[in-house]
Amino acid sequence: MRLTTRGRYAVTALLDLALQPTEQTITLAEIAARQSISVAYLEQLFAKLKRHGLVSSVRGANGGYHLARNADEITVLEIIEAVNETVDATRCDHKGNCQNGAMCLTHDLWQELSHHIADYLAKISLADLISRDNVQTVALRQNVTGTDSALLSGTGI
């Protein structure tokens, strides 16, 4: 099983969004700068996240994004699935045709693993991630680094 960049970036971007003040809208450029993800890629992801009701957007001069629901109501599995990712460890997309159209010896093992991973990710919310010490430490570093680079480039905050 392999979680692609799309799924990883979607979780990272929504966690970044969840770490920001709830009354503030956050631009994709701000997330891109903090997380080293291209704005163009974030635009693609956020279109899908918006369609699935995970983020809302505000247009205009003070526009940007915010979470559409509370951080404790959005799970990592929801985010991954919203961007068309799966947590399937089988080679056959759960179809049982892994070996020349027939089930392979280890099909049930990989299918059970997929279910365990999905159950695990369904139990972790953005709020759970926010409460982790390492997440707080990294977020502080990224905010300081982002502020320093914005000031150095003359764009301000």
Side-chain angles (χ1 to χ4, degrees), residues 15-42:
L15 181 55
D16 182 289
L17 193 59
L19 284 159
Q20 308 312 313
T22 55
E23 68 279 355
Q24 216 175 326
T25 55
I26 307 300
T27 66
L28 295 182
E30 292 171 302
I31 296 171
R34 282 190 294 269
Q35 303 307 326
S36 301
I37 304 171
S38 80
V39 173
Y41 200 75
L42 286 174

Side-chain angles (χ1 to χ4, degrees), residues 88-150:
D88 182 10
T90 68
R91 292 186 316 186
C92 61
D93 198 25
H94 297 291
K95 294 176 184 163
N97 59 358
C98 345
Q99 190 173 35
N100 300 322
M103 189 179 293
C104 69
L105 284 173
T106 55
H107 176 82
D108 290 342
L109 170 69
W110 304 128
Q111 187 157 319
E112 289 172 23
L113 176 61
S114 299
H115 290 300
H116 284 296
I117 293 169
D119 288 343
Y120 173 73
L121 296 176
K123 293 176 185 170
I124 301 173
S125 70
L126 288 174
D128 294 331
L129 294 176
I130 289 169
S131 68
R132 295 181 178 189
D133 289 338
N134 282 342
V135 169
Q136 292 295 325
T137 302
V138 171
L140 284 171
R141 184 196 77 230
Q142 288 176 337
N143 283 332
V144 168
T145 304
T147 301
D148 292 346
S149 63

Side-chain angles (χ1 to χ4, degrees), residues 55-114:
V55 297
S56 299
S57 62
V58 176
R59 293 182 183 262
N62 294 322
Y65 287 89
H66 54 84
L67 296 178
R69 303 190 321 247
N70 291 329
D72 62 347
E73 298 172 350
I74 299 174
T75 69
V76 172
L77 184 62
E78 277 185 283
I79 298 166
I80 291 170
E81 289 177 342
V83 295
N84 303 325
E85 287 287 301
T86 65
V87 289
D88 182 10
T90 68
R91 292 186 316 186
C92 61
D93 198 25
H94 297 291
K95 294 176 184 163
N97 59 358
C98 345
Q99 190 173 35
N100 300 322
M103 189 179 293
C104 69
L105 284 173
T106 55
H107 176 82
D108 290 342
L109 170 69
W110 304 128
Q111 187 157 319
E112 289 172 23
L113 176 61
S114 299

Side-chain angles (χ1 to χ4, degrees), residues 38-58:
S38 80
V39 173
Y41 200 75
L42 286 174
E43 287 171 348
Q44 295 172 23
L45 293 176
F46 272 68
K48 292 178 181 187
L49 295 167
K50 186 176 178 182
R51 273 194 303 273
H52 282 84
L54 299 178
V55 297
S56 299
S57 62
V58 176

